[in-house]
Amino acid sequence: VSGERPEHRVLEQAAAELVRMPAAIAFTSGYAANLGTLAALAGPEDLIVSDELNHASLIDGARLSRARVIVMPHLDVRSVKRALGERGSGRAFVVTESYFSMDADSPDLRELREACDSTGAALVVDEAHALGVLGPAGRGLCADADVAPDVLIGTFGKAFGASGAFVAGCPSLIAWLWNRARTFVFSTGLSPALAVAAHCNMQAAFDEPHRRNRALAVAATLRNALTKLGLRLQGYGHIIPWIVGDPGDAMRLAEDLRGRGIQVRAIRPPSVRAGTARLRLTATAQHTATDMERLINTVACVVKSGLG
Ligand SMILES: Cc1ncc(COP(=O)(O)O)c(C=O)c1O
């Protein structure tokens, strides 16, 4: 009803510019953005094709929309094409993340775009974990693949170190969400203070490339050293999943490392597939050479003692 301030408009415009989309709308969180967007766009006549590892907010948004949902095997474009072939008279949406936070891998966005274009489906991409770090100047993986999704979601709470989120797309999408996304309409908006913080941090991530380069360099060094220690790592980039397998082992390992001053969490089923419990390490721009050395030595010690 009211409460839209210049701070929100500035943030929305900057977010749209970051991802080179015409317009954007700010939400209080990524959860609210995904829930509200999918529920506002799709309905019972429609089809949503969703990657099996999509974030809970995308799953819940799809459920709330009451569309038919086909869950595709992770990153499997052939399954997407097959699913789109089964669509009825309603609209179809292909929903994916650009950089999956549990597996640190990415879909082939060009192929997904082509699959959508050849069937008239819309492509919805959540860039929560990519923006600010991956892609040209941290603009994300859609920019990297030169793919324009129909709906792009970004969050301010990850690389941008604030909180909140945005949805970017064409002006009619933004107007629709403004009026129809229930998590936007029926919830107090992002505070102007948070909008300013998110904008400043987003600008810093963009203007100060050494931060992004540093995070990626730390990730490369850690991946290299940990692989040499015989660890089973997965994916690429700043999220480093260390696959342990057994949930109990993962918990014990995480606890042991925390006891030695390494901040790490175990991720277990159902967050990840059975038999793939893991520790998730995250490289940041603030990790120093001493931090890395300490992590590598500590992990080496743990592995030697048979825990890893
Ligand atoms: C891919 C993805 N989208 C959305 C969200 C939700 O964002 P927020 O924490 O801002 O609600 C998360 C995790 O937090 C996420 O990993």
Side-chain angles (χ1 to χ4, degrees):
V1 178
S2 65
E4 170 80 356
R5 301 278 195 87
E7 290 86 349
H8 297 117
R9 282 194 288 275
V10 168
L11 175 65
E12 288 166 344
Q13 202 176 338
E17 276 167 20
L18 176 81
V19 294
R20 303 237 160 93
M21 299 286 259
I25 176 172
F27 284 76
T28 49
S29 72
Y31 189 87
N34 283 338
L35 196 75
T37 298
L38 289 183
L41 290 178
E45 305 298 313
D46 300 330
L47 170 69
I48 292 179
V49 183
S50 176
D51 189 287
E52 65 177 328
L53 296 191
N54 274 343
H55 187 258
S57 53
L58 294 167
I59 297 172
D60 293 354
R63 286 182 182 151
L64 197 60
S65 75
R66 290 180 291 148
R68 184 158 76 98
V69 179
I70 296 182
V71 177
M72 58 171 164
H74 187 47
L75 309 182
D76 186 354
V77 182
R78 277 213 305 210
S79 298
V80 174
K81 288 181 181 159
R82 225 178 1 254
L84 288 175
E86 285 177 28
R87 73 185 273 203
S89 55
R91 289 162 305 167
F93 301 84
V94 173
V95 180
T96 185
E97 295 181 31
S98 65
Y99 182 57
F100 283 86
S101 68
M102 296 298 167
D103 285 41
D105 55 9
S106 300
D108 186 327
L109 290 166
R110 283 194 193 171
E111 280 209 47
L112 286 181
R113 181 71 271 178
E114 275 167 31
C116 288
D117 288 345
S118 63
T119 53
L123 180 61
V124 180
V125 182
D126 181 338
E127 292 248 46
H129 292 279
L131 285 183
V133 185
L134 300 177
R139 291 178 189 278
L141 293 171
C142 288
D144 196 46
D146 201 17
V147 160
D150 300 286
V151 182
L152 188 154
I153 300 108
T155 59
F156 301 126
K158 307 213 182 281
F160 302 136
S163 76
F166 69 91
V167 180
C170 66
S172 54
L173 168 77
I174 302 311
W176 181 259
L177 295 179
W178 178 274
N179 289 290
R180 296 298 183 101
R182 292 168 69 85
T183 54
F184 179 84
V185 176
F186 296 107
S187 180
T188 304
L190 199 64
S191 80
L194 263 175
V196 172
H199 181 223
C200 284
N201 291 359
M202 195 164 66
Q203 202 58 45
F206 190 62
D207 289 345
E208 299 168 22
H210 64 273
R211 294 176 188 274
R212 181 171 58 252
N213 296 338
R214 173 79 194 153
L216 291 173
V218 169
T221 305
L222 289 181
R223 279 181 174 274
N224 195 13
L226 297 176
T227 303
K228 281 192 186 137
L229 291 178
L231 267 51
R232 203 175 130 210
L233 305 183
Q234 193 161 311
Y236 72 98
H238 52 291
I239 297 171
I240 308 175
W242 166 8
I243 308 299
V244 176
D246 179 72
D249 288 348
M251 290 300 281
R252 277 189 292 280
L253 207 45
E255 208 172 306
D256 187 50
L257 286 169
R258 279 203 300 278
R260 298 170 194 242
I262 306 290
Q263 173 63 274
V264 63
R265 299 280 155 198
I267 316 274
R268 295 168 291 163
S271 299
V272 292
R273 280 187 222 103
T276 72
R278 63 200 66 188
L279 302 194
R280 193 173 59 160
L281 306 169
T282 308
T284 78
Q286 284 178 330
H287 284 126
T288 61
T290 316
D291 293 333
M292 285 193 275
E293 202 178 293
R294 185 156 162 230
L295 172 72
I296 294 160
N297 290 340
T298 311
V299 171
C301 197
V302 166
V303 169
K304 223 179 187 174
S305 69
L307 271 169

